[in-house]
Amino acid sequence: MTLLARLASDVQLMFRRPPRQQYGAICYRVKKKSSDVEVLLMTSRDTGRWVIPKGWPMTGKCAHEVAAQEAFEEAGVRGAVETETLGAYSYPKVLRDGVKVACKVQVYALEVTDMAKDFKEKGERRIEWVSLDEAAGRVREPELRGLFLAFKRKITETLSAKAAKQGPAEKQIPAE
């Protein structure tokens, strides 16, 4: 590496900023009859790519609360949000002024219990409920794809454990 190339590389490293933090939610629901799990995907307003609800930190709110708030504002869903993160993914975001910044999104699971008819960004995005495999296939970010697949394993285990606990009703043995 030439001295000039080395200097250019060092200067680039000096001006590189850490990724900007965002918080997002994998919003899901379990169908009552089939126990199939569906997740919510929506299109981004700018590029139309498939994404999850996410946004910037909010003063006075914990990360999981921000994820829940964004899910309501962007997709009109409410529910029980987990306080433990599922993981994180990175993506490049183009800001309004055209500047491209790296973003890291900390993701939380949100079990949807209610869908609002009216919400802040209604009509600005397409919203669809899809299987976890379909969601993993639609998103562009490899790390988000991995989160969907990891969540599929986790929710499958959780639902199996719940079903095993409930089990079939025990048969009554008649008294003699």
Side-chain angles (χ1 to χ4, degrees), residues 68 71 149:
L149 297 175

Side-chain angles (χ1 to χ4, degrees), residues 23-28 40 42 52-55 58 61 63-81 108 110-125 127 129:
Y23 304 107
I26 289 181
C27 305
Y28 72 98
L40 182 142
M42 60 186 203
I52 61 172
K54 64 187 169 307
M58 297 176 187
K61 287 192 185 271
H64 67 280
E65 294 171 324
V66 171
Q69 179 71 33
E70 290 296 335
F72 178 69
E73 288 179 9
E74 295 181 357
V77 295
R78 286 194 176 104
V81 65
Y108 296 86
L110 184 145
E111 185 173 10
V112 175
T113 56
D114 185 46
M115 293 183 64
K117 287 187 173 115
D118 256 346
F119 51 95
K120 190 175 180 180
E121 296 184 17
K122 183 179 180 170
E124 295 180 28
R125 307 166 182 276
I127 295 172
W129 287 96

Side-chain angles (χ1 to χ4, degrees), residues 44-141:
S44 67
R45 289 187 294 186
D46 51 358
T47 64
R49 73 187 192 288
W50 292 104
V51 298
I52 61 172
K54 64 187 169 307
W56 304 108
M58 297 176 187
T59 305
K61 287 192 185 271
C62 297
H64 67 280
E65 294 171 324
V66 171
Q69 179 71 33
E70 290 296 335
F72 178 69
E73 288 179 9
E74 295 181 357
V77 295
R78 286 194 176 104
V81 65
E82 292 183 11
T83 57
E84 295 246 346
T85 183
L86 292 171
Y89 73 97
S90 301
Y91 78 101
K93 178 170 184 66
V94 179
L95 301 177
R96 286 189 185 118
D97 59 8
V99 173
K100 198 175 198 179
V101 296
C103 289
K104 186 170 189 104
V105 183
Q106 205 167 305
V107 180
Y108 296 86
L110 184 145
E111 185 173 10
V112 175
T113 56
D114 185 46
M115 293 183 64
K117 287 187 173 115
D118 256 346
F119 51 95
K120 190 175 180 180
E121 296 184 17
K122 183 179 180 170
E124 295 180 28
R125 307 166 182 276
R126 246 176 73 208
I127 295 172
E128 288 186 26
W129 287 96
V130 298
S131 71
L132 282 153
D133 289 331
E134 176 73 17
R138 284 192 190 185
V139 296
R140 288 185 192 165
E141 299 82 3

Side-chain angles (χ1 to χ4, degrees), residues 154-166:
K154 178 184 174 181
I155 195 72
T156 300
E157 288 171 14
T158 302
L159 293 174
S160 295
K162 221 183 253 188
K165 267 186 185 177
Q166 291 172 346

